[in-house]
Amino acid sequence: MNNYVLDDKEMMSDSIASQKMISSSYNTFANECTNIQLRNDFLNILKEEHDIQFDLFNEMSRRGWYQVAPTDQSKIDQAKTKYTNIQNS
């Protein structure tokens, strides 16, 4: 039997991957729900799951375990324009 123990980085990486999968599932449940109260419950749970994921991301980032490259402002502006145009179509 394997007695391998995960270190903190591995546990947090596993946790954030799990949160992403859980959030995706709750998003699907909310999108496909026909009962408004149940849909609202799923949306509330989805927000809680996003909050957990955000906390994990911030802690991993603080420890240098989740690196995100900064994006230059022109790419941000380009994305804003693209999605604003889609919304206004």
Side-chain angles (χ1 to χ4, degrees):
M1 185 156 179
N2 189 353
N3 291 329
Y4 181 77
V5 177
L6 298 175
D7 64 21
D8 287 349
K9 182 179 180 181
E10 291 168 322
M11 284 189 284
M12 291 181 84
S13 292
D14 182 63
S15 295
I16 202 165
S18 295
Q19 284 306 126
K20 289 177 181 181
M21 185 180 67
I22 290 166
S23 295
S24 177
S25 294
Y26 277 115
N27 189 57
T28 300
F29 299 157
N31 283 336
E32 296 178 358
C33 193
T34 58
N35 178 288
I36 191 69
Q37 183 56 51
L38 186 57
R39 180 182 182 276
N40 288 336
D41 289 343
F42 281 136
L43 289 173
N44 288 332
I45 294 169
L46 178 61
K47 184 196 178 311
E48 292 171 4
E49 298 301 332
H50 277 284
D51 291 345
I52 292 167
Q53 182 180 336
F54 184 70
D55 290 343
L56 284 166
F57 166 79
N58 281 334
E59 183 59 26
M60 290 182 74
S61 181
R62 184 184 71 76
R63 295 181 185 198
W65 296 341
Y66 201 119
Q67 301 296 317
V68 177
T71 302
D72 68 3
Q73 189 61 45
S74 66
K75 288 186 179 184
I76 294 170
D77 293 340
Q78 187 179 29
K80 283 181 183 178
T81 301
K82 175 183 176 183
Y83 292 107
T84 299
N85 289 341
I86 290 171
Q87 278 185 323
N88 294 332
S89 296

